């Protein structure tokens, strides 16, 4: 999930009696699955929470380009390079769809960008892990995009119209991402023993960080109820995590790879796999800024923003000059 | 913050013969760049054969609070729909 630990604004779910008439009408629309559009009335807390959530989601798409971009020039074949390039370009597009959705709530692009750059806003913890070799690129597509899809598919039904439309567009493109990743890692799992070892190693390192993408366990995620009532969160963290594990285990088995969890086993009674939770202290540490790549990622985004300033300013100056010349000629 | 590129709304004609449809928005310094960016952002998978861009500030929109006065009057005008009229079977297709 690209938006983790979004703090829901407000004081929690209000009973109908506590709601104002406007709030009641708003909740009725949501309950009836009528989309909320930018110009409609909405509670301030709904707006604030959505800016945080969509913003963090957008930042994740943008920062998520970094670990993969790291391997574009070193892809093993021209075809893999073209595929990875297309995938990374998609991520940029996904970030842009989401930024535009956030902007309809009244935050400007520069404001939201600056909140990422100075650390006031977060991006998904997963992108603070490195991609050490080509097998990691396959594993990222397979696991990270697979986990993202788990979260994004239900969000197509989210109550805020622009967010929902962005998610629909993203989901259409996301399946390519996961499949290209699985295809890349399958090539390695079916390759030489050394390649297979690399594939296993990538799975070992990325398994638990992928599970962390869904956010803390339900018993520790205190803000969910209001977000779920507003339908900006559709499933709980643990529900999605379980779904991801259930889907991924057979995929790993097909590859002949082992999930790095000795306690993982099918639970006939529950109809789900039992599995070990990730190390939550590691998760909180990464969120706090102490993951292996936090500093690098933010530095790269800041450098790109600073280095691009003259381009942004130059193009705008050129556009203004051209517009002025056109007015003068009329 | 002072030099933010303006926002453009993007409309794409998906296929020949269809009308342009709103697909989303993006920032660009001018119309020419807006079209170039729209091509990259919104037509990566053959989604279009033509692009329109309009600077967002030039779009006027109806207000949600006008929903009643604007659209309710048509609810009572069922005779605007062809199914309102019974045409005898003998007359054939009409």
């Amino acid at each position: 999930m690209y938006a983790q630990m979004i703090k829901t604004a407000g004081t929690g779910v209000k009973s109908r009696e506590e709601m104002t008439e406007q709030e009641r009408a708003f909740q009725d629309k949501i309950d009836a699955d009528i989309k909320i559009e930018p110009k409609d009335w909405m509670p301030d807390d709904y707006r604030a929470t959505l800016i945080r959530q969509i913003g963090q989601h957008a930042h994740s798409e943008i920062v998520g380009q970094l670990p993969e971009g790291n391997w574009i020039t070193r892809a093993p074949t021209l075809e893999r390079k073209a595929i990875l390039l297309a995938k990374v370009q998609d991520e940029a597009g996904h970030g842009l769809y989401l930024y535009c959705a956030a902007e309809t709530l009244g935050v400007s692009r520069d404001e939201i960008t600056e909140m990422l750059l100075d650390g006031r806003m977060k991006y998904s913890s997963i992108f603070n892990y490195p991609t050490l070799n080509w097998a990691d690129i396959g594993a990222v597509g397979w696991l990270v995009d697979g986990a993202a899809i788990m979260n994004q598919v239900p969000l197509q039904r989210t109550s805020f119209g622009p967010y929902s439309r962005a998610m629909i567009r993203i989901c259409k493109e996301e399946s390519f991402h996961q499949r290209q990743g699985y295809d890349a890692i399958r090539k390695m799992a079916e390759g030489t023993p050394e390649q297979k070892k690399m594939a296993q190693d990538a799975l070992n390192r990325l398994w638990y960080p992928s599970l962390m993408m869904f956010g803390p366990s339900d018993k520790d995620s205190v803000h969910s109820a209001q977000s779920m009532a507003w339908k900006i969160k559709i499933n709980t963290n643990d529900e999605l995590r379980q779904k991801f594990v259930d889907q991924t285990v057979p995929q790993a088995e097909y590859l002949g790879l082992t999930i790095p969890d000795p306690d993982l086993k099918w639970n006939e009674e529950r109809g789900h796999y039992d599995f070990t939770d990730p190390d939550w202290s590691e998760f909180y540490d990464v969120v706090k800024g102490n993951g292996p790549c936090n500093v690098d990622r933010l530095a790269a985004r800041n450098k790109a923003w600073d280095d691009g300033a003259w381009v942004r300013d130059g193009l705008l100056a050129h556009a203004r000059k051209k517009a002025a010349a056109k007015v003068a000629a009329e | 913050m002072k030099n933010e590129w303006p926002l453009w709304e993007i409309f794409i004609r998906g296929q020949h013969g269809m009308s342009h449809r709103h697909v989303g928005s993006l920032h660009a310094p001018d119309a020419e760049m807006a079209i170039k960016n729209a091509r990259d952002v919104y037509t990566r998978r053959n989604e279009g054969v033509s692009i329109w861009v309009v600077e967002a500030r030039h779009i006027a929109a109806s207000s949600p609070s006008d929903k009643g006065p604007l659209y309710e009057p048509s609810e009572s005008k069922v005779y605007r729909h062809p199914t309102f009229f019974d045409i005898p079977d003998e007359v054939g297709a009409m």
Side-chain angles (χ1 to χ4, degrees), chain A residues 67-122:
Chain A
E68 291 183 299
N70 186 31
W71 282 88
I72 290 175
T73 56
R74 290 173 287 174
T77 67
L78 185 57
E79 188 186 54
R80 292 283 174 202
K81 181 174 179 163
I83 292 169
L84 186 58
L85 203 54
K87 193 220 179 230
V88 172
Q89 191 191 13
D90 272 355
E91 306 298 1
H94 296 179
L96 295 183
Y97 309 153
L98 288 161
Y99 281 133
C100 285
E103 285 174 78
T104 66
L105 291 160
V107 66
S108 84
R109 177 72 63 90
D110 282 4
E111 267 164 24
I112 204 165
T113 303
E114 276 163 18
M115 284 194 270
L116 166 70
L117 298 180
D118 66 19
R120 271 176 294 162
M121 285 180 87
K122 304 273 180 219

Side-chain angles (χ1 to χ4, degrees), chain A residues 3 13 28 63 65 107 118 124 148 150-151 154-155 158 178 212 221 239 241 243 255 272 280 287 296-297 299 317 322:
Chain A
V13 186
D28 286 345
V63 176
Q65 295 179 99
V107 66
D118 66 19
S124 176
M150 283 282 134
N151 172 48
L155 275 177
T158 190
Q178 190 186 15
M212 291 176 197
S221 72
E239 274 168 26
R241 192 170 8 251
K243 221 172 148 194
L255 298 174
H272 293 291
W280 291 118
V287 169
D296 288 351
R297 299 297 186 232
K322 248 189 356 189

